[in-house]
Amino acid sequence: MAPWERKEDTECKEFEKLIPGFIGRKLDFPTLKRFYEHWERCGECREELSIQFLVAEGMQRLEDGNAFDLQSELGQRLEETRRKISYNSAFLYIGSALEIVASGFLVWIFVWILL
């Protein structure tokens, strides 16, 4: 990163590069989570996502001749993303907790066998 470039600028550039992947639903979970977290705190990137979503989806809909409410669809897509992140995070925490319990149980069995 250049000395004059702020961390936020770099994050915004990365965010902009990921927009097509978000629109195409091609982001993996860690990338999607980073994308959404940046979207939550950066007004400029929220606006950029709206513009790119409206252009990309709007052009496709015009070609297909379908009616559309793209702003509402973007809101639904972002809500779906928030739920997906929430569910995946919960499963990660549950998985970690189960791993700790299983490890403790194995240690207990090992100690019980030795005594």
Side-chain angles (χ1 to χ4, degrees):
M1 175 170 36
W4 62 87
E5 211 172 337
R6 296 178 315 166
K7 180 180 178 193
E8 295 83 22
D9 294 338
T10 303
E11 288 177 1
C12 291
K13 287 177 184 176
E14 182 181 345
F15 180 90
E16 287 181 27
K17 289 178 188 175
L18 294 172
I19 290 174
F22 174 79
I23 292 171
R25 299 176 191 255
K26 296 178 180 173
L27 300 181
D28 60 25
F29 177 71
T31 306
L32 182 63
K33 185 175 180 185
R34 250 187 6 263
F35 180 89
Y36 186 78
E37 287 170 350
H38 182 79
W39 174 85
E40 284 186 307
R41 67 179 182 274
C42 183
E44 290 177 20
C45 288
R46 277 195 299 275
E47 187 174 326
E48 183 63 28
L49 175 61
S50 291
I51 292 167
Q52 287 194 36
F53 185 82
L54 293 172
V55 169
E57 291 293 314
M59 294 301 289
Q60 184 62 45
R61 301 292 169 75
L62 287 173
E63 289 174 11
D64 295 343
N66 295 334
F68 49 89
D69 178 4
L70 294 175
Q71 200 62 41
S72 175
E73 285 184 39
L74 176 58
Q76 290 171 352
R77 177 91 52 96
L78 289 163
E79 178 58 25
E80 174 186 306
T81 298
R82 186 197 60 74
R83 279 194 315 270
K84 184 177 186 178
I85 290 169
S86 178
Y87 293 148
N88 283 335
S89 295
F91 282 119
L92 287 173
Y93 292 132
I94 289 169
S96 296
L98 289 174
E99 187 175 334
I100 291 168
V101 169
S103 297
F105 185 68
L106 289 173
V107 168
W108 178 79
I109 288 175
F110 183 72
V111 169
W112 182 73
I113 290 172
L114 289 177
L115 295 177

